[in-house]
Amino acid sequence: MILIILGLFLLIAAGAITRSDERLRRFKVPIRGIGMLILLIGIMVSGIQQIDAGEVGVKKLFGKVQKDVLGSGLHFINPLLQIEKLDVKTQNYTMSGVHDEGTKSGDDAIRVLTADGLEVTIDLSVLYRLIIKDAPMLLQETGADYEDKIVRPITRTRIRDNAVYYDAVALYSTKRDEFQQRIFKSIEADFKKRGLLLENLLVRNITLPQSVRTTIEQKINAEQDAQKMQFVLQKERQEAERKRVEAQGIADYQRIISESLTDRQLQYESIKAQLEIAKSTNAKVIIMGKGNTPVILDSKTQ
């Protein structure tokens, strides 16, 4: 466009020379030739437009946005058109409390109030892309800086609006997925009205107040101690049961033995024991018996 304007300026200047000093008229033809050349180059350059992959071109003519868009590739267009290139690839906008981790440097986490009045800090990533057919509307109504005008404020507002329905601990644990789905539907609807498609919403981290974290840690420790005590009690009960079974077995054994031992059985066992003693090569024992029990003397020579 600049070359076209410069070429036209030189042509006008060449025409004005004819009405000026006679000494300047000799420059008329060269100036007109240069003007024509620059004008042709400007038309050729402005009439050829390349759109890279992952981009679309929105056409503007004297500030008015055209409804149709240019896809990726090489295009021959009206030289007077101005092309605004917009990215249609998936984009990531992260809001994090960690320095230089988010899109904006510094602490950019979202601080919300929950149903129980506690302040919770949320780190979030928004994955979205531009809807191609809505690119002219987005450019006309919002502009190319839609990230700061739509993505950031809508996301932060919807998260704060929906966090008030959950308690801090539930938001951190059991209701986390439900909360994520709820804010996804809310943000998705707002984005679609503006020409943006929400692809995914990732709740990266939810940070509870220090007092709540301390309470949760104490509760977890108490639960672990209770489970440990239950294990110890269970082990003691098993040991007591083992001892009871062992004692019962010993008692049953003694009862069976006492019931089965008669005088004849005892006499038989006594005879067997005396026989073993008599066969021993080094026995020097004298057994004094009663009744029919014999006396056994060692007969070895010393």
Side-chain angles (χ1 to χ4, degrees), residues 229-273:
M229 184 57 65
Q230 290 179 359
F231 173 77
V232 172
L233 292 176
Q234 179 68 20
K235 184 178 179 181
E236 293 296 333
R237 282 194 290 266
Q238 291 176 349
E239 180 65 17
E241 180 66 19
R242 186 192 66 79
K243 291 181 179 180
R244 188 190 66 79
V245 172
E246 181 181 8
Q248 184 64 42
I250 294 173
D252 292 343
Y253 170 77
Q254 291 176 346
R255 179 179 55 80
I256 293 172
I257 292 298
S258 63
E259 291 177 354
S260 62
L261 286 178
T262 60
D263 292 339
R264 290 182 178 275
Q265 181 67 26
L266 291 173
Q267 185 180 7
Y268 173 73
E269 294 294 335
S270 176
I271 293 172
K272 286 174 61 179

Side-chain angles (χ1 to χ4, degrees), residues 70-297:
L70 300 177
S72 59
L74 194 64
H75 302 272
F76 296 93
I77 62 173
N78 183 348
L80 299 178
L81 286 174
Q82 181 183 356
I83 305 302
E84 184 80 29
K85 296 180 181 179
L86 297 176
D87 192 349
V88 294
K89 300 186 294 294
T90 298
Q91 301 181 59
N92 177 10
Y93 191 90
T94 297
M95 290 166 280
S96 173
V98 180
H99 184 71
D100 289 338
E101 187 179 73
T103 304
K104 292 185 177 294
S105 61
D107 186 357
D108 194 37
I110 307 170
R111 288 169 175 78
V112 301
L113 288 178
T114 58
D116 47 359
L118 297 175
E119 184 181 75
V120 174
T121 304
I122 299 176
D123 290 359
L124 189 79
S125 289
V126 183
L127 301 180
Y128 70 98
R129 61 181 174 86
L130 188 148
I131 301 174
I132 295 177
K133 66 181 183 63
D134 293 334
M137 177 194 69
L138 178 66
L139 186 62
Q140 181 173 345
E141 296 182 358
T142 305
D145 55 343
Y146 51 84
E147 192 172 76
D148 291 329
K149 292 181 178 178
I150 296 178
V151 177
R152 177 181 172 83
I154 288 181
T155 300
R156 298 176 75 90
T157 300
R158 293 308 177 204
I159 289 176
R160 291 189 178 101
D161 291 344
N162 288 278
V164 297
Y165 297 104
Y166 301 91
D167 292 337
V169 176
L171 192 64
Y172 178 80
S173 55
T174 59
K175 298 293 185 178
R176 182 167 180 160
D177 291 339
E178 179 184 319
F179 172 69
Q180 183 169 315
Q181 291 298 321
R182 181 167 184 160
I183 58 177
F184 179 89
K185 293 179 180 179
S186 178
I187 297 173
E188 181 184 33
D190 288 336
F191 275 21
K192 192 172 183 179
K193 295 176 183 178
R194 300 290 187 141
L196 299 176
L197 177 64
L198 180 63
E199 293 184 345
N200 207 344
L201 195 67
L202 307 175
V203 177
R204 296 154 50 91
N205 187 37
I206 297 178
T207 304
L208 298 174
Q210 182 60 44
S211 59
V212 178
R213 294 202 302 269
T214 303
T215 302
I216 293 175
E217 290 174 358
Q218 292 175 349
K219 180 181 178 182
I220 293 174
N221 291 335
E223 291 175 350
Q224 291 177 346
D225 291 341
Q227 292 176 357
K228 181 179 179 181
M229 184 57 65
Q230 290 179 359
F231 173 77
V232 172
L233 292 176
Q234 179 68 20
K235 184 178 179 181
E236 293 296 333
R237 282 194 290 266
Q238 291 176 349
E239 180 65 17
E241 180 66 19
R242 186 192 66 79
K243 291 181 179 180
R244 188 190 66 79
V245 172
E246 181 181 8
Q248 184 64 42
I250 294 173
D252 292 343
Y253 170 77
Q254 291 176 346
R255 179 179 55 80
I256 293 172
I257 292 298
S258 63
E259 291 177 354
S260 62
L261 286 178
T262 60
D263 292 339
R264 290 182 178 275
Q265 181 67 26
L266 291 173
Q267 185 180 7
Y268 173 73
E269 294 294 335
S270 176
I271 293 172
K272 286 174 61 179
Q274 293 166 9
L275 180 62
E276 293 297 327
I277 293 173
K279 291 180 180 180
S280 176
T281 59
N282 60 353
K284 296 178 180 180
V285 181
I286 298 175
I287 300 176
M288 301 301 294
K290 291 182 181 182
N292 297 326
T293 304
V295 176
I296 301 175
L297 298 174

Side-chain angles (χ1 to χ4, degrees), residues 13-55:
I17 288 177
T18 59
R19 298 186 294 273
S20 61
D21 193 344
E22 292 290 336
R23 290 173 299 180
L24 297 177
R25 290 183 180 180
R26 66 177 182 270
F27 297 109
K28 175 181 178 181
V29 176
I31 292 175
R32 180 177 292 178
I34 294 173
M36 288 294 296
L37 180 61
I38 294 176
L39 180 61
L40 290 175
I41 293 174
I43 292 174
M44 291 179 61
V45 172
S46 300
I48 300 175
Q49 190 66 235
Q50 177 180 334
I51 307 298
D52 295 332
E55 292 183 338

